Amino acid sequence: MIKFLDLQRVTSQYGAEIHEAISRVVDSGYYLQGSETERFESHYAAFIGSRHCVGCGNGLDALFLIYRAYIELGVMRPGDEVIVPANTFIASILALTHNGLVPVLAEPRPDTLQLDDSQLESLITPRTRSILLVHLYGRCAYTEKIGQLCRQHQLKLVEDNAQAHGCRYQDGRRTGSLGHAAGHSFYPGKNLGALGDGGAVTCNDPALAATVRALANYGSQRKYVCQYAGRNSRLDELQAAVLNVKLRHLDADNEARQAIAGIYYDGISNPLLRLPVRMPRQQNVYHIFPVLCERRDELQAFLVQHGVQTLIHYPIPPHQQQCYRQWNSLSLPVTEAIHRQELSLPMSPVMTPEEALQVVSAVNAFQ
């Protein structure tokens, strides 16, 4: 069976370096808010191309903390609107509603599966304060029109970079440095994954970074003195040490993913499948390789029978979830079609060309 993602193989690539890093932390006796986290924050900020990086507990917290910091700084207030892709993972939306902000769901383009910038102007109201841009599947979702609209309407552009570590825009800038702030997830299955939960905020604004750091540490900038009603959301030393190891190899790992994606794009010819438009190499780091098929469930069962494991990202769109019952009557046909048809093929930096060709053969055999 070709696994969707073989995390054991991914980790074992750099096993010796990871074991050495973990042993160093264990032997140090210092497990939170130490030199490993400081080192990773410095390295990751430089990698992304931002002035500041603040580690936190996970990707959802990263986005939550950005918007809570903007509220604490008086830039936003509960009831303000944030435009967000309707087909995103639900964490993007939870970060908004947990802050009392109002998500405005925007349809994606059916060919890219990313936010449709042609719709955005019609969604902007006097209450709009931000666009939350999600680089879904590892594809760069930024466009010049999105940037121009944010400047024209004085909107904060916040990036959800949970799935796109190392991705670049066409001018060479990395995702996570294109807007005013970005949230990152280091969940183990991500392109840059820890051995547990982890996240980070990147930005160029020192006031925002300081507020995020305080909010993530109980609202405290000085021990036992709390300026804000914060939370406990800190990146621990073990995860930071592991991430420092894996960050050194991230560009090479992404190149391996791009090579596998190239085999898929060049080889898949089944007319029953639709592939998202192929992007220039550096603008997609292929966290996920999605295909669309109207007979998605049949395709998935067929591939399992032929030794290929797949996943669905995601079976239920946010507006049809029970936790957002007030949206259940909304009609978002492009989003609904994607969630009904999407199937994710195996993708990882440790897949071999031979395994990719086996996947192509199985996909093309589906009738």
Side-chain angles (χ1 to χ4, degrees):
M1 175 70 70
I2 298 174
K3 292 183 179 181
F4 173 75
L5 174 62
D6 192 335
L7 275 181
Q8 189 174 24
R9 278 173 65 191
V10 170
T11 304
S12 66
Q13 288 184 105
Y14 315 118
E17 294 174 76
I18 289 172
H19 281 285
E20 188 278 328
I22 290 173
S23 295
R24 183 176 66 248
V25 174
V26 171
D27 293 343
S28 76
Y30 208 106
Y31 308 125
L32 274 173
Q33 296 181 298
S35 60
E36 296 287 348
T37 301
E38 289 179 3
R39 187 178 302 116
F40 174 71
E41 289 176 343
S42 175
H43 290 169
Y44 194 62
F47 177 84
I48 291 295
S50 61
R51 290 174 58 191
H52 303 281
C53 172
V54 181
C56 63
N58 53 69
L60 169 56
D61 279 3
L63 293 173
F64 169 86
L65 290 164
I66 290 169
Y67 281 102
R68 176 53 59 86
Y70 277 134
I71 290 171
E72 296 289 356
L73 291 168
V75 176
M76 299 180 195
R77 61 184 179 181
D80 285 343
E81 296 175 351
V82 178
I83 297 171
V84 59
N87 63 319
T88 186
F89 179 56
I90 200 166
S92 311
I93 294 170
L94 290 171
L96 302 176
T97 57
H98 285 350
N99 276 306
L101 298 168
V102 179
V104 176
L105 304 179
E107 287 268 58
R109 284 177 47 171
D111 59 340
T112 67
L113 313 185
Q114 304 298 310
L115 191 63
D116 186 347
D117 61 11
S118 69
Q119 293 193 19
L120 292 181
E121 196 148 25
S122 67
L123 299 175
I124 296 172
T125 76
R127 295 172 60 193
T128 307
R129 294 293 178 269
S130 173
I131 294 174
L132 178 51
L133 184 64
V134 185
H135 303 294
L136 199 61
Y137 309 125
R139 301 168 67 91
C140 180
Y142 180 81
T143 67
E144 286 299 320
K145 184 171 184 178
I146 291 172
Q148 183 268 328
L149 286 171
C150 287
R151 291 187 293 272
Q152 178 184 343
H153 295 276
Q154 297 183 309
L155 307 178
K156 293 297 185 185
L157 179 59
V158 177
E159 298 172 78
D160 181 340
N161 201 48
Q163 299 188 5
H165 314 103
C167 186
R168 294 181 184 272
Y169 181 53
Q170 61 189 19
D171 64 6
R173 290 179 295 160
R174 293 193 193 267
T175 56
S177 71
L178 304 175
H180 295 94
H184 309 257
S185 168
F186 305 124
Y187 180 78
K190 305 296 188 183
N191 291 37
L192 180 61
L195 299 187
D197 275 322
V201 171
T202 55
C203 66
N204 289 328
D205 182 346
L208 180 67
T211 307
V212 166
R213 191 176 296 280
L215 285 166
N217 188 37
Y218 303 102
S220 174
Q221 293 178 317
R222 183 160 58 92
K223 196 167 187 179
Y224 302 134
V225 179
C226 294
Q227 182 177 356
Y228 311 108
R231 60 172 56 194
N232 176 14
S233 180
R234 298 175 298 201
L235 182 66
D236 69 64
E237 291 285 277
L238 283 169
Q239 302 305 338
V242 170
L243 290 167
N244 265 317
V245 170
K246 298 181 79 173
L247 180 60
R248 295 196 292 267
H249 304 286
L250 179 56
D251 281 338
D253 283 349
N254 284 340
E255 288 174 6
R257 289 174 177 269
Q258 290 159 346
I260 296 300
I263 294 173
Y264 286 163
Y265 270 111
D266 293 341
I268 293 175
S269 58
N270 192 324
L272 298 176
L273 273 69
R274 180 166 64 85
L275 276 59
V277 64
R278 192 171 185 173
M279 301 182 73
R281 187 178 180 91
Q282 296 301 317
Q283 295 178 46
N284 193 343
V285 293
Y286 296 99
H287 171 59
I288 290 166
F289 192 97
V291 298
L292 301 175
C293 179
E294 292 184 1
R295 292 162 53 201
R296 187 263 311 283
D297 294 345
E298 291 178 58
L299 173 61
Q300 185 174 41
F302 178 87
L303 291 177
V304 168
Q305 294 171 0
H306 288 76
V308 176
Q309 183 185 50
T310 60
L311 289 181
I312 297 170
H313 293 90
Y314 302 93
I316 304 173
H319 72 281
Q320 293 181 343
Q321 298 282 357
Q322 277 297 103
C323 62
Y324 291 121
R325 288 182 290 276
Q326 68 273 26
W327 295 339
N328 286 175
S329 61
L330 289 178
S331 175
L332 296 165
V334 179
T335 292
E336 290 159 18
I338 291 170
H339 286 259
R340 191 169 56 247
Q341 298 175 18
E342 194 277 342
L343 189 67
S344 302
L345 301 184
M347 173 57 67
S348 83
V350 295
M351 278 189 71
T352 66
E354 291 74 22
E355 288 173 325
L357 288 170
Q358 289 179 51
V359 173
V360 168
S361 179
V363 166
N364 286 340
F366 177 68
Q367 297 180 359

